[in-house]
Amino acid sequence: MAALIEAARAPDYPAEIVLILSNREDAPGLAFARDQGVRAVAIGTQRFGRDREAHERAINTELRNADVQIVCLAGYMRLLTPYLVGEWAGRMLNIHPSLLPKYPGLDTHKKVLEAGETIHGCTVHLVTEQMDEGPILAQAHVPVLPGDTEATLAARVLIEEHRVYPEALAKWAAQEHFKT
């Protein structure tokens, strides 16, 4: 999120960050966004109980009211229902810490180390109803070094996430069908 906000400050960047939205009221990114002058809203899950679609309808209303054109997920650790994915089909991006299609889901760095991989990285992809299976928009690679731990590997991947996500968003946002 911070990398996207920073990239969007450039006068020639083809996207503007108009809203940061979280499902957690205590998400540190909300305060960061506000400090950067970006509107930030939390729509907690508690009042919706187990009705995930109702929660996502509230999210969708907030996105529409802010005139959002593209949704970028960053650290949103909930599986989305077909409702929200369908509402934003072709306009919702996600960053994932692996070279998809390898290692979807959680614990990617651990899985890479356990498998003895020599290359790891991250993927920007379109969100579809299947977890981490949407069309790939961009990837960045990092070497797996001898002696790497989950933490050291994650730190190198995060550097690439901060580079590749703004680049992928810029390319996607610059497409003709997103111009107003």
Side-chain angles (χ1 to χ4, degrees):
M1 176 207 65
L4 295 175
I5 290 172
E6 180 63 31
R9 287 187 178 136
D12 61 341
Y13 196 78
E16 175 186 2
I17 309 301
V18 298
L19 174 68
I20 300 300
L21 198 145
S22 177
N23 64 315
R24 293 182 35 223
E25 290 89 354
D26 63 344
L30 295 171
F32 175 84
R34 290 181 189 118
D35 288 345
Q36 301 301 309
V38 178
R39 185 167 167 255
V41 175
I43 300 176
T45 57
Q46 300 82 356
R47 68 180 179 170
F48 299 96
R50 294 183 179 261
D51 191 346
R52 294 179 65 201
E53 186 175 314
H55 179 248
E56 290 179 4
R57 285 184 181 280
I59 289 171
N60 191 51
T61 296
E62 195 70 40
L63 294 170
R64 299 287 183 196
N65 288 343
D67 197 27
V68 169
Q69 301 298 309
I70 302 172
V71 174
C72 294
L73 303 177
Y76 198 81
M77 300 301 290
R78 288 174 56 100
L79 291 177
L80 300 174
T81 69
Y83 165 74
L84 194 63
V85 172
E87 286 291 307
W88 293 91
R91 296 181 298 138
M92 184 182 288
L93 284 61
N94 186 36
I95 183 83
H96 182 73
S98 80
L99 295 172
L100 293 174
K102 285 187 170 186
Y103 310 110
L106 301 174
D107 301 320
T108 60
H109 312 301
K110 178 181 179 182
K111 291 173 184 173
V112 163
L113 291 170
E114 287 175 351
E117 300 279 2
T118 58
I119 300 292
H120 188 32
C122 57
T123 303
V124 179
H125 65 93
L126 288 177
V127 175
T128 61
E129 289 186 26
Q130 293 74 38
M131 181 184 66
D132 297 331
E133 289 188 13
I136 293 171
L137 303 179
Q139 290 186 312
H141 299 79
V142 300
V144 178
L145 303 175
D148 257 338
T149 65
E150 289 178 52
T152 59
L153 188 53
R156 276 200 317 287
V157 170
L158 185 62
I159 290 168
E160 289 304 305
E161 288 180 34
H162 290 175
R163 181 187 63 76
V164 75
Y165 206 0
E167 290 175 3
L169 172 59
K171 185 176 178 181
W172 195 249
Q175 293 186 52
E176 190 63 36
H177 59 279
F178 289 114
K179 294 181 181 174
T180 57

